[in-house]
């Protein structure tokens, strides 16, 4: 007997990919999703040559301008092909390409720290996990106060935790109600998939998805694995967004520092802006 069709709960309103870790990324109309999330997401990262750690805007004292850099692929990444080069636009408008001679020297001069640009494929081939650093501001509800801690990235990747981050406009609208002075824009939270709900709710609706399968369009299936805990990055300035510690304080005081959810990929495929979103029982594996 055929299974009844699941109810549409929303649609994809934007898709985001971040070619270089901790730099501004690119908004997409469509993306290919594989085992490691949206193809090309966190495909590159900068390594601090002094300690081998991954450069992360989570430690703004060490990397104060990193989130002001923008990265975009010179051509779309494709399955089975070598990851294409990226163009990095510096805060002063200078554009560098990852495949040009002297890229590491130019980035080192700009950041005033010696760095190398590494591809995730190289880290994966080395079979090792990288470390990064995170600064914890003095905000009630955080695990640490005014200190820097180390954390380990999943082996062979430049992700902090999961390969896909999903966020709803319902959550952003709820946060705006709680802190009207803040600019709760998608860019601050660096999601991969932004969902607009079919009903005009203002709530942390993603919480109810944990442990379920999210179906995006006709092909992609995501297993929602847990909440996405936030950090100092959502408070930082980028483009025209001002620095605002109230963004993180609101998340800490009202929702245990969580905004959005993490997910793994059960089935890959194409996802497009406007695709319907449905909830299904957890089943299947990446294909």
């Amino acid at each position: 007997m055929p299974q009844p069709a699941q109810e549409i709960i929303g649609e994809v309103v934007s898709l985001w990919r971040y070619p270089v870790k901790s730099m501004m990324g690119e908004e997409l109309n469509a993306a290919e999703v594989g085992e490691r999330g949206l193809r090309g997401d966190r495909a590159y990262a900068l390594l601090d040559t002094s300690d081998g750690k991954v450069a992360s805007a989570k430690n703004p004292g060490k990397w104060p301008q990193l989130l002001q850099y923008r990265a975009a692929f010179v051509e779309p990444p494709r399955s089975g092909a070598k990851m294409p080069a990226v163009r990095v636009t510096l805060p002063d408008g200078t554009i560098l390409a990852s495949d040009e001679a002297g890229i590491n020297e130019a980035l080192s001069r700009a950041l005033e720290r010696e760095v190398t640009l590494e591809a995730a494929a190289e880290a994966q081939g080395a079979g090792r996990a990288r470390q990064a650093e995170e600064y914890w501001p003095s905000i009630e509800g955080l695990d640490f106060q005014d200190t820097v801690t180390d954390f380990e990235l999943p082996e062979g990747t430049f992700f902090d935790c999961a390969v896909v981050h999903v966020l709803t406009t319902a959550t952003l609208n709820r946060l705006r109600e709680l802190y009207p002075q803040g600019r709760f824009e998608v860019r601050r939270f660096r999601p991969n998939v932004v969902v607009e709900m079919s009903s005009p709710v203002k709530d942390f609706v993603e919480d109810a998805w944990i442990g379920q399968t999210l179906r995006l369009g006709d092909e992609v299936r995501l297993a929602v694995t847990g909440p996405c805990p936030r950090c100092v990055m959502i408070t930082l300035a980028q483009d025209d967004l001002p620095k605002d510690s109230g963004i993180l304080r609101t998340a800490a005081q009202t929702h245990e520092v969580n905004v959005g959810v993490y997910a793994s990929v059960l089935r890959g495929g194409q996802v497009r802006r406007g695709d319907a979103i449905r909830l299904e029982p957890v089943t299947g594996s990446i294909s």
Side-chain angles (χ1 to χ4, degrees):
M1 179 180 296
Q3 296 295 315
Q6 277 78 22
E7 178 184 0
I8 295 174
I9 62 170
E11 70 173 44
V12 176
V13 290
S14 62
L15 295 164
W16 295 82
R17 175 175 61 207
Y18 309 91
V20 180
K21 182 176 181 62
S22 280
M23 294 185 186
M24 289 185 284
E26 45 189 6
E27 188 174 7
L28 308 169
N29 288 319
E32 183 180 351
V33 178
E35 185 175 6
R36 290 176 177 253
L38 274 66
R39 190 166 303 282
D41 192 32
R42 277 77 171 189
Y44 295 88
L46 296 176
L47 301 183
D48 186 337
T49 58
S50 68
D51 56 19
K53 292 178 181 178
V54 173
S56 172
K58 286 190 171 188
N59 187 5
K62 186 175 181 180
W63 307 102
Q65 281 195 300
L66 192 54
L67 196 55
Q68 299 286 355
Y69 287 48
R70 185 183 301 277
F73 285 105
V74 298
E75 60 184 50
R78 303 192 185 281
S79 177
K82 181 181 177 181
M83 193 62 62
V86 290
R87 291 193 185 96
V88 176
T89 303
L90 277 54
D92 66 2
T94 300
I95 298 176
L96 306 172
S98 63
D99 57 354
E100 69 183 40
I103 178 67
N104 292 328
E105 292 78 7
L107 288 169
S108 297
R109 285 193 300 272
L111 290 162
E112 299 182 348
R113 296 189 72 91
E114 190 172 339
V115 296
T116 58
L117 184 65
E118 181 176 286
E122 298 171 22
Q124 185 179 3
R128 63 179 181 270
R130 294 287 190 181
Q131 284 192 326
E133 296 170 328
E134 177 175 359
Y135 171 69
W136 301 78
S138 296
I139 291 177
E140 185 179 352
L142 302 187
D143 291 341
F144 303 95
Q145 301 289 312
D146 192 24
T147 190
V148 176
T149 60
D150 291 346
F151 65 96
E152 192 170 275
L153 283 59
E155 184 176 315
T157 80
F158 294 136
F159 294 102
D160 287 345
C161 186
V163 298
V164 179
H165 172 212
V166 182
L167 178 65
T168 67
T169 55
T171 283
L172 294 178
N173 290 334
R174 177 59 178 147
L175 290 167
R176 291 184 184 112
E177 282 189 335
L178 295 166
Y179 178 51
Q181 308 95 300
R183 290 178 60 184
F184 289 91
E185 298 188 19
V186 167
R187 291 174 291 165
R188 284 200 187 274
F189 300 92
R190 300 172 64 82
N192 298 116
V193 181
V194 182
V195 176
E196 183 171 329
M197 303 302 293
S198 298
S199 57
V201 293
K202 296 179 180 180
D203 200 6
F204 302 106
V205 296
E206 301 98 321
D207 294 351
W209 300 350
I210 297 171
Q212 300 193 63
T213 294
L214 206 59
R215 175 180 170 186
L216 284 59
D218 296 327
E219 301 178 4
V220 177
R221 305 290 188 277
L222 303 177
V224 182
T225 53
C228 180
R230 311 315 308 211
C231 66
V232 71
M233 276 187 73
I234 66 174
T235 74
L236 302 179
Q238 57 173 294
D239 270 354
D240 62 324
L241 289 177
K243 180 180 179 180
D244 188 348
S245 296
I247 301 291
L248 182 58
R249 185 175 293 109
T250 302
Q253 293 176 347
T254 64
H255 201 235
E256 299 180 337
V257 203
N258 298 318
V259 181
V261 288
Y262 279 139
S264 61
V265 180
L266 294 172
R267 182 181 300 169
Q270 286 287 323
V271 60
R272 301 167 181 82
R273 189 186 307 210
D275 276 353
I277 303 290
R278 297 175 172 86
L279 282 177
E280 298 179 343
V282 176
T283 183
S285 59
I286 182 71
S287 61

